[in-house]
Amino acid sequence: MKNKTSFLPQEGEACPSRCPDNTAFKQQRLPAWKPQLNIGTVLSSFFLTGAFCLAVGVCLILSANSVREIQIDYSDKCSACSKLRENSSNWNKECHCSVNFTLKEDILGDVFMYYGLQNFYQNHRRYVISRSDAQLLGRNVNIQRSYCAPFTTYRNGTPMAPCGAIANSMFNDTIDLFYNRNSSVIQVPLLKTGNSWWTDKNVKFRNPVSYNLSSAFAGTARPPYWQKPAYLLDEEDERNNGYVNDDFIVWMRVSAFATFRNLYRRVRRIRHFADGLPAGNYTFHISYNFPVTKFKGRKHVILSTVVWSGGSNPFLGIAYVVSGTAATLTGFVITAIHLKLRKKKTYFQKQ
């Protein structure tokens, strides 16, 4: 029987067509390091990993608990408007409602306003792909070949801009915040821009090129559930219109869960609100447009601060604590097994 090494080409010999070269790399003769595990290194790894995860998890949980947050559900308080929106023929009728609340303590620092939706599923496959990324980049494309159906064109052939189910279902409630100070009512200044990611604003979304935005969207029509065309989403700031509108960009980033929140506004820190929101009585004035009754949903507004680890979501901290606990318990189990086996080994050696 031939030695296995005899099948390898020797120095100066011709190599068969399918035989790898006689090199250290191709013949797997490169030097390698293989760790020699023993009970000390294994237990040290488990206990150090557990201690690290527990420390990080506790810090994250304490950080999340330090976030100041208030959540106002206005689904029932705006029930009259909700009933009006149940009939789609009332899309052009305005409906307003007000929600009062009280801040018992100051909310200092940067304050963010979110809108929250409950029982609204954005993770359906047909819904997620119902968009045209080429159209959102400002390109002149044939959306009939996209996944936007059935929200592509109207019966007369006019294309929708933007197309797709995600854009058509965009959250369009208008929420204003007022501070009731003594006998006067002060509107809290809110920032509409700067709420989206830089990559979205400057890379993924662009307006069509034209001398003005209305002409850029000429020949198109707004989605069926929209009250305004894309180039009039923000009538106060022309730069915040079209596909680069912050509210639109934030909405187009779909959620993986049925209950979620999206950033809506930021409190502008000037005058009475230079340090944040002072304690006192406040009122939300809401222009109610987004219907939620048909899918048994809920709507709420959240005022929240942020910390170095983000918002008030403790999930990451809990995950670290669970991982650290599991690693520590595994270390103790391995220690117990090792001591038990060593005790048996010593007993048999004495016999």
Side-chain angles (χ1 to χ4, degrees), residues 255-307:
S255 172
F257 301 100
T259 299
F260 61 93
R261 63 176 65 178
N262 284 336
L263 181 59
Y264 182 66
R265 297 288 184 266
R266 291 176 294 126
V267 175
R268 188 180 180 187
R269 298 177 63 176
I270 57 173
R271 297 192 294 274
H272 303 288
F273 314 99
D275 298 324
L277 291 179
N281 297 320
Y282 289 83
T283 302
F284 281 125
H285 286 183
I286 301 169
S287 177
Y288 197 104
N289 299 307
F290 193 83
V292 295
T293 308
K294 290 185 178 181
F295 57 88
K296 299 180 181 179
R298 311 283 299 180
K299 294 192 293 187
H300 42 268
V301 188
I302 305 105
L303 294 173
S304 176
T305 59
V306 295
V307 291

Side-chain angles (χ1 to χ4, degrees), residues 115 117 119-130 165-167 169-171 250-262 290:
Y115 62 84
L117 292 176
N119 206 38
F120 188 92
Y121 289 86
Q122 288 189 311
N123 56 2
H124 191 279
R125 184 183 64 87
R126 290 288 302 274
Y127 182 88
V128 171
I129 65 175
S130 184
I166 307 177
S169 62
M170 176 180 166
F171 182 85
V250 170
W251 178 259
M252 292 299 290
R253 193 184 312 123
V254 297
S255 172
F257 301 100
T259 299
F260 61 93
R261 63 176 65 178
N262 284 336
F290 193 83

